[in-house]
């Protein structure tokens, strides 16, 4: 009698176990089906870059002129550079090719105020031009070159880790369309461009500044002020800059000494990488929109005058030192001013902003299609673009 009672119960247990096994099998089948198969991964086409555009992007149109300018500076021949570059304070002496000392120092620079900076100027200029080469792995060195000095300045325990989050604030008038001030200030590091004004715009652009990223033209103007003052965000905010013209190293060595905050010059290898990326995007855009051969690109962009913007290089800097990057104020609108804090409406012709916008889009959506970055060996952080 007892055996007859157990048999139905045992059968019921077997049925439950069998049903459970089928359920798990179905779940595992669904889970693995959701994952890409080996064949599916192989079916994704690899990114193929246009070899012609890559080659042309690597050609610096103004290289010969730059080399000649550097040689003139090393020889002390300031007069042949032209008066249009003479806007900083030390140039009030109207340096020219009058008799120089046996060390090839222009006679005006022999004054006590400037004689001491001449050797440092020559050293910076030589090192800069000597290192001017394409080495995309420079991206992996930015933590040591930029972040460590900044950490030391701000009293942060320096580590190999990147900053947790960085906001790069452009100067486009579209910033005034949204009130992102609190969101911007919530980032660990806030990078601003070319000393853009924030007073009166805090609701839109935030109030926090950790790095002011400028081009050497801005420092050139700052050097006209007493004490080379270039601190619109306060004397404790660090400055990172890139060199637009070799002559600006004179402003750098003149202003570096009195600055209590770091005045860091970007590695020229980093500058070369930025230039190649932007030129590739500009060439690609030119070919797609005009249908003309890429060799005709130079005539449309004034050849040697073409250059990346400060904003583009600031974004590239953030890619190397930040775990997460947010980009604000990059873009344009017919209803917005070129700069939110000025009345300027026209764009500079030496930049191809549309090409740079395409680059930012790819950073956020498909970084694998960006040329040269893969060669850097650096993992790109996630990028969010706020319009």
């Amino acid at each position: 009698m007892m055996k007859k009672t157990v048999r139905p119960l045992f059968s019921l247990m077997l049925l439950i176990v069998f049903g459970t096994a089928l359920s798990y099998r179905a779940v595992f089948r669904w889970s693995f089906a959701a994952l890409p198969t080996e064949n599916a991964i192989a079916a994704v086409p690899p990114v193929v870059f246009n070899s012609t555009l890559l080659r042309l992007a690597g050609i610096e149109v103004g290289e010969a002129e730059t080399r000649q300018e550097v040689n003139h500076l090393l020889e002390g021949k300031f007069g042949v550079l032209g008066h249009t570059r003479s806007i900083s304070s030390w140039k009030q002496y109207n340096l020219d090719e009058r008799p120089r000392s046996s060390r090839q120092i222009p006679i005006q620079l022999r004054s006590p105020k400037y004689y001491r900076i001449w050797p440092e100027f020559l050293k910076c200029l030589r090192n800069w031009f000597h290192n001017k080469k394409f080495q995309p792995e420079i991206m992996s060195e930015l933590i040591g070159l930029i972040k460590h000095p900044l950490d030391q300045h701000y009293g942060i325990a320096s580590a190999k880790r990147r900053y947790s989050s960085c906001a790069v604030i452009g100067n486009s008038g579209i910033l005034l369309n949204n009130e992102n001030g609190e969101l911007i200030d919530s980032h660990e590091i806030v990078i601003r461009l070319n000393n853009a004004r924030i007073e009166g715009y805090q609701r839109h652009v935030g109030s926090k500044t950790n790095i002011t990223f400028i081009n050497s033209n801005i420092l050139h103007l700052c050097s006209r002020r007493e004490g080379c003052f270039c601190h619109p965000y306060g004397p404790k905010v660090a400055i990172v800059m890139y060199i637009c013209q070799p002559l600006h190293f004179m402003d750098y060595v003149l202003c570096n000494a009195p600055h209590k905050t770091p005045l860091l010059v970007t590695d020229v290898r980093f500058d070369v990488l930025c230039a190649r990326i932007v030129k590739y995007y500009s060439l690609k855009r030119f070919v797609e929109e005009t249908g003309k051969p890429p060799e005709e690109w130079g005539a449309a962009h004034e050849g040697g005058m073409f250059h990346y913007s400060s904003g583009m290089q600031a974004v590239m800097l953030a890619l190397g030192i930040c775990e997460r990057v947010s980009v604000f104020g990059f873009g344009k609108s017919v209803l917005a001013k070129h700069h939110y804090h000025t009345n300027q409406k026209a764009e500079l012709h030496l930049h191809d902003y549309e090409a740079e916008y395409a680059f930012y889009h790819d950073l956020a959506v498909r970084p694998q299609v960006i040329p040269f970055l893969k060669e850097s060996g650096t993992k790109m952080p996630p990028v969010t673009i706020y319009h």
Side-chain angles (χ1 to χ4, degrees):
M1 187 72 182
M2 192 170 182
K3 287 183 180 179
K4 290 182 179 179
T5 306
V6 171
R7 282 178 180 173
L9 184 60
F10 183 71
S11 300
L12 180 61
M13 290 177 64
L14 283 175
L15 184 61
I16 293 173
V17 171
F18 183 70
T20 303
L22 287 176
S23 299
Y24 273 111
R25 187 178 180 186
V27 169
F28 277 111
R29 278 184 176 177
W30 180 87
S31 300
F32 284 114
L35 296 174
T37 64
E38 195 171 313
N39 290 334
I41 294 175
V44 177
V47 177
V48 179
F49 296 106
N50 186 305
S51 59
T52 300
L53 299 187
L54 289 175
R55 176 179 58 82
L56 292 175
I59 299 175
E60 184 178 341
V61 179
E63 176 67 18
E65 289 79 3
T66 301
R67 181 181 297 276
Q68 185 179 45
E69 181 176 348
V70 169
N71 288 333
H72 284 319
L73 290 171
L74 292 175
E75 295 171 5
K77 297 178 180 179
F78 288 81
V80 299
L81 300 176
H83 67 280
T84 56
R85 299 169 182 259
S86 308
I87 59 176
S88 61
S89 61
W90 61 271
K91 289 288 287 183
Q92 65 182 299
Y93 288 90
N94 189 30
L95 300 177
D96 54 27
E97 293 189 79
R98 295 174 184 177
R100 297 184 294 275
S101 71
S102 58
R103 294 185 179 183
Q104 295 296 299
I105 301 177
I107 192 71
Q108 296 89 341
L109 281 180
R110 294 170 64 184
S111 66
K113 183 177 181 180
Y114 297 110
Y115 181 84
R116 60 181 175 79
I117 70 173
W118 179 251
E120 183 65 18
F121 166 71
L122 295 179
K123 177 183 175 182
C124 290
L125 186 60
R126 286 195 186 100
N127 290 341
W128 178 79
F129 196 68
H130 175 75
N131 292 325
K132 199 168 187 288
K133 59 192 71 171
F134 177 63
Q135 291 183 348
E137 57 270 23
I138 184 63
M139 288 294 293
S140 63
E141 300 179 30
L142 293 179
I143 291 179
L145 293 172
I146 301 295
K147 182 177 182 293
H148 286 176
L150 295 180
D151 288 346
Q152 184 177 8
H153 168 65
Y154 288 119
I156 302 173
S158 192
K160 291 184 178 180
R161 72 168 185 86
R162 301 180 178 189
Y163 294 119
S164 60
S165 63
C166 295
V168 183
I169 317 304
N171 295 333
S172 171
I174 65 171
L175 275 169
L176 303 183
N177 295 337
N178 299 286
E179 296 185 358
N180 285 324
E182 290 188 9
L183 176 60
I184 289 171
D185 289 344
S186 68
H187 291 74
E188 181 180 3
I189 297 294
V190 176
I191 304 172
R192 299 192 186 276
L193 303 175
N194 291 331
N195 296 342
R197 179 183 170 188
I198 60 176
E199 185 179 356
Y201 300 98
Q202 289 92 332
R203 287 187 301 125
H204 305 282
V205 305
S207 57
K208 176 180 177 181
T209 307
N210 303 98
I211 300 172
T212 171
F213 188 94
I214 66 174
N215 61 61
S216 61
N217 287 313
I218 299 297
L219 187 73
H220 211 42
L221 294 171
C222 293
S223 66
R224 302 173 68 179
R225 304 169 185 161
E226 186 67 28
C228 281
F229 185 80
C230 205
H231 301 290
Y233 311 117
K236 293 184 179 180
V237 176
I239 299 174
V240 180
M241 60 175 283
Y242 71 89
I243 297 295
C244 300
Q245 302 172 15
L247 181 65
H248 290 169
F249 271 114
M250 186 64 81
D251 300 288
Y252 166 72
V253 296
L254 183 66
C255 293
N256 191 34
H259 273 222
K260 296 180 181 179
T261 56
L263 179 53
L264 305 176
V265 176
T266 57
D267 192 294
V268 68
R269 294 171 296 165
F270 179 62
D271 303 345
V272 171
L273 175 61
C274 293
R276 286 205 182 191
I277 291 175
V278 169
K279 188 174 179 181
Y280 180 91
Y281 273 88
S282 186
L283 284 162
K284 184 172 181 291
R285 174 173 171 261
F286 174 79
V287 171
E288 291 175 349
E289 293 188 0
T290 68
K292 297 180 180 179
E295 289 77 9
E296 295 183 19
W297 170 89
H301 288 278
E302 300 183 32
M305 294 297 294
F306 178 78
H307 201 65
Y308 50 81
S309 70
S310 300
M312 184 272 173
Q313 193 169 27
V315 171
M316 285 287 290
L317 177 70
L319 295 179
I321 64 175
C322 310
E323 291 286 354
R324 178 169 57 87
V325 178
S326 300
V327 178
F328 299 83
F330 284 70
K332 61 182 178 181
S333 166
V334 292
L335 302 177
K337 296 183 294 184
H338 183 57
H339 289 159
Y340 74 86
H341 56 98
T342 71
N343 291 321
Q344 179 184 344
K345 293 184 178 181
E347 295 181 347
L348 298 176
H349 294 298
L350 74 161
H351 302 315
D352 188 342
Y353 289 106
E354 294 295 339
E356 293 187 10
Y357 298 154
F359 164 66
Y360 303 141
H361 176 268
D362 285 345
L363 271 180
V365 178
R366 48 176 194 168
Q368 70 276 10
V369 305
I370 301 175
F372 309 119
L373 277 185
K374 187 176 181 180
E375 300 174 45
S376 70
T378 302
K379 182 181 178 181
M380 292 297 105
V383 177
T384 303
I385 311 293
Y386 292 88
H387 294 290

